[in-house]
Amino acid sequence: MKIAVDAMGGDNAPKAIVEGVMLAKKDFPDIEFLLFGKESAIKEYVTDDKNITIIHTDEKIESDDEPVKAIRRKKQSSMVLAAQAVKEKQADALFSAGNTGALLAAGLFVVGRIKQVERPGLMTTMPVFTGGKGAGFDFIDMGANADNKPEHLLTYGILASYYASQVRGVKNPRVGLLNNGTEDTKGSELTKKAFELLKEEPSLNFVGNVEARDLFNGVADVVVTDGFTGNAVLKSIEGTAQAIMSNLKSSILDSGLKGKMGALLLKDSLKELKQKMDYSNHGGAVLFGVKAPVVKTHGSTGPDAVRHTIRQIHTMLEKDVVNNLVAYFDEHQA
Amino acid sequence: MKIAVDAMGGDNAPKAIVEGVMLAKKDFPDIEFLLFGKESAIKEYVTDDKNITIIHTDEKIESDDEPVKAIRRKKQSSMVLAAQAVKEKQADALFSAGNTGALLAAGLFVVGRIKQVERPGLMTTMPVFTGGKGAGFDFIDMGANADNKPEHLLTYGILASYYASQVRGVKNPRVGLLNNGTEDTKGSELTKKAFELLKEEPSLNFVGNVEARDLFNGVADVVVTDGFTGNAVLKSIEGTAQAIMSNLKSSILDSGLKGKMGALLLKDSLKELKQKMDYSNHGGAVLFGVKAPVVKTHGSTGPDAVRHTIRQIHTMLEKDVVNNLVAYFDEHQA
């Protein structure tokens, strides 16, 4: 099991990335890591070089690089070299905390899509607040595409349902379609057609339409949407959470000693809330529909999130998720 | 100035509605109110009957009635009779806290759209956290339509920009297009075309693409989107806020005396936050593009929100918003 790691991607690279790899190495001695990036910088954080190979390069993709251009022009960047290693089967999966758009492009154009999936989608596991620890739902497409057809949404349902059952261990995952109302007849042209396709797919436990306001209540284990809406929903969630937290903070700071004492007493509760909302303990976002696991964590990620993401990739490889899905599509769409 | 009020719409009707009308009456002695609903129930809360006319009816539309059917079949419902009064020019505006879908249908099919607006949109003023008191942005279409064309988004920009300047008093309102990235080249087929139309419209101060995560930071005074995305964004915001607040609450309750003391000390801060997030002090949601102001407040609304919404309707009537927009469209699309 070999994972190609873009050691230079993300705000805290290579420190957070390499430290995370060191943590993951202890959990999974069966993984070999190929670390792409500046050798001297990486080496600083390698505390044990068993199963570690460093492939040196000076070039890297910046967070504000134009994605497709960056992939085409920065052929020696840590991300492109890592993707290339996956393409050439020197590694089984690609991991990066760098420029999301560039990683999507690297997944599509370097690793390559599997022929049965017309439009790979980006999927992440989001937290659910009503369930037990670790409860969540798989949300796809969260923004790999700007436009999707109904058929893509059916494919996303199949991909994410497989992931939920095989990687997260959810039995018979409930698949919901994000829509503008819960009634069966609701929807846009796109979602009305997608509803019919999802309903008719015998391999899915389709539970119908779900609304964005109920996502955190555990209405489904998989939520399918087009990439434009998925992107808007995810950014709305992020923006709202951030606005509430920063306002609560400034309101506390403005309220003098009383507020500060209150905040001190509530520290544990606020910390618990933050942890619940943090979905990085489910791992990173998967570009689903390409020939190998291509997984992204947040740019501001720390070593723990890297470790969780490597655990996630380990499970995906162990269960041979990509090859099983290829076999599934071959069987069902022949 | 006459406002037709559906006194039976909303969870707390007719109490909250009539009490709100009583408050608004003091602010605006120039408004005459036509209250539609069960006379005996309404009268209970009428503390002063000057400028109040009650039009009795026993029928009402329930919150779970199928909207279009309800409007067609419940011809004697308080909502339909109120809409009818506007249609027949016995009233200048329609107000309801009832079934949103039914009110949209009543607006479209009873009050009627103005011929220059192909697809009326639902607009609300959302709070901005960085600005001073009362800062906000006008968000349109928040869900009147399931599918929109680029031309509709241009119309929404014009409608909401006019509203922001005339009703909210924002000088030269900045109009943003909700998109999946801030770069000019970003977007779906729909938003790319809408971007061009908005950019070329000389009457608008178009500031380009905005992302959902920045809405609360005041990136624009008007944010334009299609009804499907608008609905998803709004419900994501609602769901996230609710999930955070209810989790904070349960985390506090679980943390024993310490947590409860902390919460007590933070009471003012939490209250302040809640007030900031509450957008009902900007008034209700306007169905824009019909022949008279048709305005909706939340079903769970209290008397204060009713009062704010009536103030909003008063301003819309005072500024003659609908007729001025008709004149504008006649001039520019002749």
Side-chain angles (χ1 to χ4, degrees):
Chain A
M1 218 181 261
K2 286 185 184 173
I3 302 181
V5 176
D6 167 17
M8 308 310 281
D11 308 336
N12 312 315
K15 185 174 188 288
I17 310 298
V18 182
E19 285 178 354
V21 166
M22 292 300 128
L23 292 172
K25 240 167 65 79
K26 285 179 200 152
D27 303 336
F28 304 108
D30 57 334
I31 303 180
E32 284 181 50
F33 293 93
L34 308 181
L35 306 185
F36 293 82
K38 201 177 164 80
E39 185 165 15
S40 58
I42 292 171
K43 267 194 167 158
E44 227 179 287
Y45 307 102
V46 174
T47 50
D48 166 13
D49 64 5
K50 185 164 183 279
N51 286 342
I52 298 287
T53 308
I54 300 174
I55 296 95
H56 172 77
T57 182
D58 280 322
E59 197 169 39
K60 69 169 201 166
I61 291 177
E62 306 293 339
S63 63
D64 56 354
D65 278 348
E66 203 283 304
V68 178
K69 265 190 212 160
I71 291 301
R72 293 211 177 122
R73 292 186 189 164
K74 293 187 164 179
K75 296 275 187 211
Q76 296 302 312
S77 62
S78 54
M79 189 192 282
V80 172
L81 289 178
Q84 202 70 36
V86 175
K87 187 194 175 166
E88 289 161 6
K89 306 216 181 286
Q90 291 153 20
D92 306 302
L94 170 58
F95 168 78
S96 176
N99 183 319
T100 307
L103 187 65
L104 294 181
L108 290 173
F109 303 131
V110 182
V111 176
R113 64 177 180 86
I114 57 180
K115 70 171 195 290
Q116 297 88 342
V117 178
E118 197 188 357
R119 289 292 198 97
L122 195 61
M123 188 203 78
T124 198
T125 306
M126 306 273 293
V128 157
F129 286 157
T130 49
K133 203 180 170 236
F137 65 96
D138 295 308
F139 191 51
I140 182 169
D141 172 20
M142 49 183 265
N145 300 282
D147 289 288
N148 280 119
K149 292 180 198 161
E151 294 74 24
H152 303 156
L153 271 58
L154 171 61
T155 303
Y156 296 155
I158 294 169
L159 293 170
S161 179
Y162 190 84
Y163 182 93
S165 72
Q166 294 302 307
V167 179
R168 292 203 298 124
V170 179
K171 276 183 198 154
N172 199 22
R174 296 161 300 148
V175 178
L177 173 66
L178 189 73
N179 215 334
N180 60 355
T182 54
E183 303 87 344
D184 287 4
T185 53
K186 276 279 185 176
S188 61
E189 284 176 31
L190 172 68
T191 55
K192 280 179 181 172
K193 283 180 198 153
F195 183 94
E196 292 307 317
L197 293 174
L198 287 159
K199 204 178 73 177
E200 282 158 20
E201 170 60 39
S203 74
L204 294 181
N205 175 18
F206 181 54
V207 296
N209 293 322
V210 300
E211 288 192 288
R213 72 156 69 89
D214 298 321
L215 292 179
F216 294 121
N217 299 334
V219 283
D221 303 304
V222 165
V223 176
V224 171
T225 188
D226 66 282
F228 189 87
T229 307
N231 182 276
V233 164
L234 212 72
K235 287 176 180 165
S236 301
I237 293 172
E238 255 180 63
T240 307
Q242 203 174 25
I244 291 179
M245 288 316 206
S246 74
N247 262 273
L248 188 56
K249 205 171 162 183
S250 69
S251 172
I252 288 168
L253 289 173
D254 290 350
S255 65
L257 187 61
K258 196 176 118 186
K260 283 186 197 87
M261 274 178 63
L264 204 64
L265 289 166
L266 276 189
K267 214 174 137 188
D268 293 340
S269 296
L270 289 169
K271 206 173 152 189
E272 191 190 316
L273 176 64
K274 217 180 153 187
Q275 274 172 349
K276 262 196 188 171
M277 280 165 49
D278 179 13
Y279 47 96
S280 72
N281 54 14
H282 287 288
V286 179
L287 179 62
F288 234 144
V290 292
K291 288 176 182 159
V294 170
V295 186
K296 164 80 175 51
T297 59
H298 234 281
S300 58
T301 213
D304 272 331
V306 173
R307 178 192 197 172
H308 291 310
T309 306
I310 287 167
R311 187 186 61 214
Q312 172 194 23
I313 296 174
H314 184 268
T315 314
M316 287 185 78
L317 291 174
E318 199 176 48
K319 304 273 181 176
D320 207 9
V321 169
V322 173
N323 287 326
N324 283 330
L325 279 167
V326 168
Y328 175 90
F329 283 119
D330 277 343
E331 207 175 297
H332 287 75
Q333 303 189 342
Chain B
M1 218 180 259
K2 286 185 185 173
I3 302 180
V5 175
D6 167 16
M8 307 311 281
D11 308 337
N12 312 315
K15 185 174 187 288
I17 309 298
V18 181
E19 284 178 354
V21 166
M22 291 300 127
L23 291 171
K25 241 166 63 80
K26 284 179 200 153
D27 303 337
F28 304 109
D30 57 336
I31 304 179
E32 283 180 51
F33 293 93
L34 309 181
L35 306 184
F36 294 81
K38 201 177 164 77
E39 185 164 15
S40 59
I42 293 171
K43 268 194 167 162
E44 227 180 288
Y45 307 103
V46 174
T47 50
D48 164 14
D49 64 4
K50 188 166 182 277
N51 286 341
I52 298 285
T53 307
I54 301 174
I55 296 95
H56 173 77
T57 182
D58 280 320
E59 198 170 36
K60 70 170 199 164
I61 291 177
E62 307 293 339
S63 62
D64 56 355
D65 277 349
E66 203 283 303
V68 178
K69 264 189 214 161
I71 292 300
R72 292 212 178 122
R73 293 187 188 162
K74 293 188 166 178
K75 296 276 186 209
Q76 295 302 313
S77 63
S78 53
M79 190 193 281
V80 172
L81 288 179
Q84 202 70 35
V86 175
K87 188 195 176 170
E88 290 162 6
K89 305 216 182 286
Q90 291 152 18
D92 306 303
L94 170 57
F95 167 78
S96 176
N99 183 320
T100 307
L103 187 65
L104 294 180
L108 290 172
F109 303 130
V110 182
V111 176
R113 64 178 180 84
I114 57 180
K115 70 171 195 290
Q116 298 88 343
V117 177
E118 198 187 356
R119 289 290 198 99
L122 195 61
M123 188 202 80
T124 198
T125 306
M126 305 272 294
V128 156
F129 286 156
T130 49
K133 201 179 172 242
F137 65 96
D138 294 307
F139 191 51
I140 184 170
D141 174 20
M142 50 184 265
N145 300 280
D147 290 288
N148 278 119
K149 294 181 197 158
E151 294 73 23
H152 303 156
L153 272 57
L154 171 61
T155 303
Y156 296 155
I158 295 169
L159 292 171
S161 179
Y162 190 85
Y163 182 92
S165 72
Q166 294 302 307
V167 179
R168 291 203 299 124
V170 179
K171 275 183 198 154
N172 200 22
R174 297 160 301 146
V175 177
L177 174 65
L178 189 73
N179 214 334
N180 60 356
T182 55
E183 303 88 343
D184 286 4
T185 53
K186 277 279 186 176
S188 61
E189 284 176 31
L190 172 70
T191 56
K192 280 179 181 171
K193 284 181 198 154
F195 184 94
E196 293 307 317
L197 293 175
L198 286 159
K199 204 178 73 178
E200 283 158 20
E201 170 59 39
S203 73
L204 293 181
N205 176 18
F206 181 54
V207 296
N209 292 323
V210 299
E211 288 192 288
R213 73 156 70 87
D214 298 320
L215 291 179
F216 293 121
N217 300 334
V219 284
D221 303 303
V222 165
V223 175
V224 171
T225 188
D226 66 281
F228 190 87
T229 308
N231 181 275
V233 164
L234 212 71
K235 286 176 180 165
S236 301
I237 292 171
E238 256 181 62
T240 308
Q242 202 175 26
I244 291 179
M245 288 316 205
S246 73
N247 261 273
L248 189 56
K249 205 170 160 184
S250 68
S251 173
I252 288 167
L253 290 173
D254 290 349
S255 66
L257 187 61
K258 196 176 120 186
K260 284 186 196 84
M261 274 179 64
L264 203 64
L265 289 165
L266 276 187
K267 213 174 137 190
D268 293 342
S269 296
L270 290 168
K271 205 173 152 190
E272 191 190 317
L273 176 63
K274 216 178 154 189
Q275 274 172 348
K276 262 196 190 173
M277 281 164 50
D278 179 12
Y279 47 96
S280 72
N281 54 14
H282 287 289
V286 179
L287 178 64
F288 233 145
V290 292
K291 289 177 183 160
V294 170
V295 185
K296 164 80 174 53
T297 58
H298 235 280
S300 58
T301 212
D304 272 332
V306 173
R307 178 191 196 172
H308 292 310
T309 306
I310 287 166
R311 187 185 62 215
Q312 172 195 23
I313 297 174
H314 184 268
T315 313
M316 287 185 77
L317 291 175
E318 197 176 49
K319 304 273 182 179
D320 207 8
V321 168
V322 173
N323 288 325
N324 282 330
L325 280 166
V326 168
Y328 175 90
F329 283 119
D330 276 342
E331 207 176 300
H332 287 76
Q333 302 189 346

